Amino acid sequence: MGLEAVVNEIREKGRKEVEAVRAETRAEVEEILKDAQARAAEIKLSAEEEADRAATHITNQEVSAANLVVKRQVLNAQKTLLDQVYSASLAAVGDLPAEFHEKALTDLLKRAAKEIKKGVVHANERDIPVVEKILGATKSLSGYTVGDPVDIPGGIIVESDDGDLQLDYSYGTFLSEVWESALKDASDILFA
């Protein structure tokens, strides 16, 4: 065999080996690419799931915060309305006819006399003449004197002579007691 034939045979053998190496390399590259694409898809899916979870969490937090703000605003509005109702109720009691106040003051003075035998009666400026009239006309109240006017919407405040005991029978005190005990019912009626 000649040198040329050996060279050709070596060339052919080299070409075949190159082709085999190239084919093997292509197969390895394709396998690496497939693995990389699979891992990229897994990473992408994991990232999308994490982003969805984070978005849902943020959305839930924002909705909760918004609900809290709305609830706070509603409660503040309800409190303002209840305060207005309380003030209007107190004003309405103060605006009742003089006959009502005279009867109420008479009943309150008799009630106070059961606890304090002698003392000073304080009332608002409007009711001082009525209290003086009641005290002058009722023998069981002879131990009472009229004191300085006080800033109350109605009713009386009775203080014992020694100053140790004081009874607050003002309309505001009675309304506050009723208001506290019936606040839930009033709220249910107003805001149901």
Side-chain angles (χ1 to χ4, degrees), residues 93-94 96-105 171:
V93 170
L96 289 171
E99 299 81 32
F100 169 83
H101 293 290
E102 186 171 347
K103 179 169 179 3
L105 292 170
Y171 294 168

Side-chain angles (χ1 to χ4, degrees), residues 143-180:
Y144 287 111
T145 59
V146 176
D148 295 328
V150 290
D151 186 22
I152 57 176
I156 56 171
I157 297 175
V158 179
E159 193 174 335
S160 63
D161 280 341
D162 59 10
D164 287 343
L165 184 60
Q166 185 181 55
L167 301 175
D168 186 349
Y169 288 159
S170 65
Y171 294 168
T173 300
F174 287 118
L175 182 60
S176 292
E177 289 173 8
V178 170
W179 191 257
E180 290 298 318

Side-chain angles (χ1 to χ4, degrees), residues 69-82:
V69 167
V70 168
K71 187 171 187 169
R72 187 178 302 124
Q73 289 173 344
V74 167
L75 289 173
N76 286 339
Q78 288 176 345
K79 183 185 180 319
T80 299
L81 184 58
L82 286 171

Side-chain angles (χ1 to χ4, degrees), residues 81-146:
L81 184 58
L82 286 171
D83 289 346
Q84 290 171 354
V85 168
Y86 179 86
S87 296
S89 299
L90 202 52
V93 170
D95 291 341
L96 289 171
E99 299 81 32
F100 169 83
H101 293 290
E102 186 171 347
K103 179 169 179 3
L105 292 170
T106 302
D107 291 344
L108 292 173
L109 284 165
K110 288 179 181 177
R111 182 175 168 187
K114 292 177 183 174
E115 295 185 49
I116 299 176
K117 300 300 179 200
K118 291 182 177 184
V120 179
V121 179
H122 300 279
N124 65 27
E125 190 77 44
R126 174 198 69 216
D127 292 334
I128 291 288
V130 177
V131 170
E132 288 173 341
K133 176 183 164 187
I134 296 168
L135 292 179
T138 310
K139 286 194 186 267
S140 62
L141 301 175
S142 63
Y144 287 111
T145 59
V146 176

